[in-house]
Structure formats: C-alpha cells, structure tokens
Amino acid sequence: MTVINSPLPEKEREIAGSALQATLVDLLDLSLVAKQAHWNLYGPRFRSIHLQLDEVVTTARDYADTVAERAAALGVSPDGRAATVAATSGVPEFSPGWTKDVDAVGALVTAFSAVIERVRERVERTGPADAVTQDLLIGLTADLEKQSWMFQAEHRS
C-alpha cells in the first residue's frame, strides 16, 4: 500500500524504489562504519583521518536523506531501521575496538569500493526506469568516488 501516488508506472516505480532502498541502507551503514572508525581511531595520522571520517559521515547522511525523500516522492516507503540495515547492507563489516589509523583507512577504502560498485549497478538499472533517480545516483557516485580517491591516497602513503 502507498499513500503517495507515484508519477511513475508501477514497474518503473519498483525498479527505482528498489535501487533507492538498497542505496539508503548502504549509505546508513557507511555512515555508521565511518563513525565507528572515528570514535576508535588512534595513530600518528589521527587528526587528519578523524576529520576526514567526519566528512564521510556528513556525505553519507546527507545523501541518505535525499535518497529516502526521493523514494517517498515515488510512493516507496523508505526503511532505514537498524534491523533492515543490518540484514541488507552491502558494506563490509568493520572490526570492533580500537583501530589503528592505517587500518581504518584500509577499511574505508574497502567500504567505498563495495558501495560504489553497488551504486554504479543501480545507475545502470535505473536509467530506463527513472532518469531523476538515475541522476541522483550519478551525483552520489561522483561524491563517493571523490571520498574514495582521498582515502586511497591516504592508504598508499
């Protein structure tokens, strides 16, 4: 059931809605991984990576809100509950406890790679169904790839 009438035909709404829901979950999990690393970080590059992790959290949370609102605008109820995120996220698990700066950077490089790959697949899938959703995912991909580049540059140092 939906209380919002979708501007898209049912099949296209399902394609876009599925892509948006999966992206929402990945973004919420990415923000949690970055916060976990942020809180438990130690090492000689603590300050710069600590601040960089906050940028990841801001980007992921801002896009999560935009993605969820797009889903709602299409008549798809977004689900960002913890149980849903835990059950459906494609973000690799982050180890608990204190995390050395170099290990946190490596974990973020891996997380970005997973999320970017999944979002790029959704870009392809949503193109024929909904250009607006595709455009949102393209913008997200560009921002994620920029963050990924920055963490890769840290990782290679």
Side-chain angles (χ1 to χ4, degrees):
M1 178 191 111
T2 183
V3 296
I4 305 299
N5 292 324
S6 177
L8 298 176
E10 184 63 21
K11 181 180 177 198
E12 285 79 3
R13 183 185 73 84
E14 286 177 12
I15 292 168
S18 173
L20 290 163
Q21 176 59 39
T23 302
L24 173 63
V25 165
D26 285 350
L27 289 169
L28 291 173
D29 202 9
L30 180 62
S31 75
L32 293 171
V33 164
K35 254 321 175 186
Q36 183 69 18
H38 173 89
W39 293 324
N40 287 282
L41 188 68
Y42 73 92
R45 298 183 306 177
F46 169 84
R47 179 140 174 83
S48 64
I49 294 170
H50 187 78
L51 295 173
Q52 197 173 356
L53 289 164
D54 271 339
E55 292 174 16
V56 173
V57 172
T58 298
T59 298
R61 288 182 179 170
D62 287 351
Y63 268 104
D65 193 49
T66 301
V67 163
E69 289 175 353
R70 177 67 186 154
L74 295 178
V76 176
S77 175
D79 187 353
R81 296 172 300 153
T84 303
V85 173
T88 62
S89 172
V91 178
E93 189 173 328
F94 188 80
S95 299
W98 298 110
T99 305
K100 187 162 177 48
D101 52 7
V102 68
D103 296 333
V105 169
L108 266 291
V109 167
T110 301
F112 275 119
S113 178
V115 173
I116 290 166
E117 179 180 339
R118 289 167 53 94
V119 174
R120 279 186 162 275
E121 291 170 0
R122 295 175 198 134
V123 166
E124 293 302 316
R125 214 171 37 237
T126 55
D130 180 29
V132 176
T133 295
Q134 183 187 46
D135 183 60
L136 184 142
L137 296 177
I138 289 169
L140 167 61
T141 302
D143 283 350
L144 290 174
E145 288 177 350
K146 179 180 178 185
Q147 291 279 341
S148 176
W149 156 57
M150 291 181 180
F151 274 91
Q152 286 181 58
E154 284 279 347
H155 191 57
R156 306 288 188 246
S157 61

